[in-house]
Amino acid sequence: TETDMSNPLSVTSLLKKEASTRWVEHPTVPGMRFNIRFVSKQQVRNLSNSCTVLRFNSAEKKRVPELDTERLVRQLCERAVVGWEGVTPRRLTKLIQVDFSAVPKESLDVEIAFDIEQCAVLFANAYDMDLWLQDVCTDVSSFNPSSEELEKNS
């Protein structure tokens, strides 16, 4: 196939250099939003590889690769979660068990400040949060403009 020299487009030239971010509301907790950064396929692969450890399997009498899921969740949070809004003790009750003896009544709706440590704890302890994060941060269509937006901006 001949290369059309009048059209210098290539997949390489079209790859975005900086990952986009977008705010996403958690599907089961209205008002709780996360600022999510897109994670490319190569980055997911690199994260997975860096979180794979060799463990000795006595049944097979050899070392076998095993994914360290705790480490993967932590590293995915570090890579994909840029911030949050609306994370309060009251809203957290929909995701994790909350020790209310540690929360004064007047603080039930006070937003918890974002930091990566707290984020990793939340994603490690709330059911399906890690799966939700992986779905959201790898959904390329939600980080690109729609066809309608492209037409409108041309």
Side-chain angles (χ1 to χ4, degrees):
T1 319
E2 285 185 43
T3 305
D4 182 359
M5 297 311 255
S6 64
N7 185 356
L9 289 177
S10 69
V11 174
T12 305
S13 70
L14 294 173
L15 282 173
K16 232 177 167 178
K17 307 301 180 249
E18 291 292 317
S20 302
T21 62
R22 70 183 185 102
W23 283 95
V24 181
E25 187 167 75
H26 189 275
T28 61
V29 188
M32 185 181 289
R33 296 173 5 117
F34 295 85
N35 192 3
I36 305 294
R37 177 185 298 123
F38 176 72
V39 179
S40 70
K41 182 178 179 176
Q42 184 62 47
Q43 291 167 332
V44 170
R45 189 177 302 127
N46 291 345
L47 285 173
S48 180
N49 288 342
S50 74
C51 296
T52 300
V53 293
L54 290 175
R55 300 235 193 269
F56 186 75
N57 181 317
S58 56
E60 295 182 33
K61 299 198 183 327
K62 64 180 183 179
R63 292 167 50 122
V64 293
E66 184 178 293
L67 186 64
D68 182 343
T69 54
E70 288 179 21
R71 188 170 165 199
L72 180 62
V73 168
R74 163 118 188 139
Q75 288 191 14
L76 189 58
C77 284
E78 289 174 359
R79 175 71 191 126
V81 184
V82 179
W84 66 32
E85 291 177 347
V87 177
T88 65
R90 186 181 311 271
R91 287 186 178 128
L92 284 176
T93 62
K94 295 183 184 263
L95 299 173
I96 59 173
Q97 252 192 323
V98 175
D99 177 6
F100 284 104
S101 68
V103 183
K105 253 188 184 168
E106 61 275 5
S107 297
L108 285 175
D109 296 309
V110 172
E111 190 166 302
I112 298 168
F114 174 81
D115 75 46
I116 203 62
E117 291 298 323
Q118 294 302 302
C119 181
V121 169
L122 174 59
F123 278 80
N125 287 283
Y127 284 101
D128 297 333
M129 284 287 286
D130 52 341
L131 300 175
W132 174 77
L133 176 60
Q134 192 165 358
D135 286 345
V136 171
C137 75
T138 58
D139 180 8
V140 70
S141 64
S142 64
F143 288 92
N144 282 326
S146 66
S147 297
E148 294 80 25
E149 290 172 316
L150 288 172
E151 288 300 318
K152 185 171 67 175
N153 293 331
S154 352

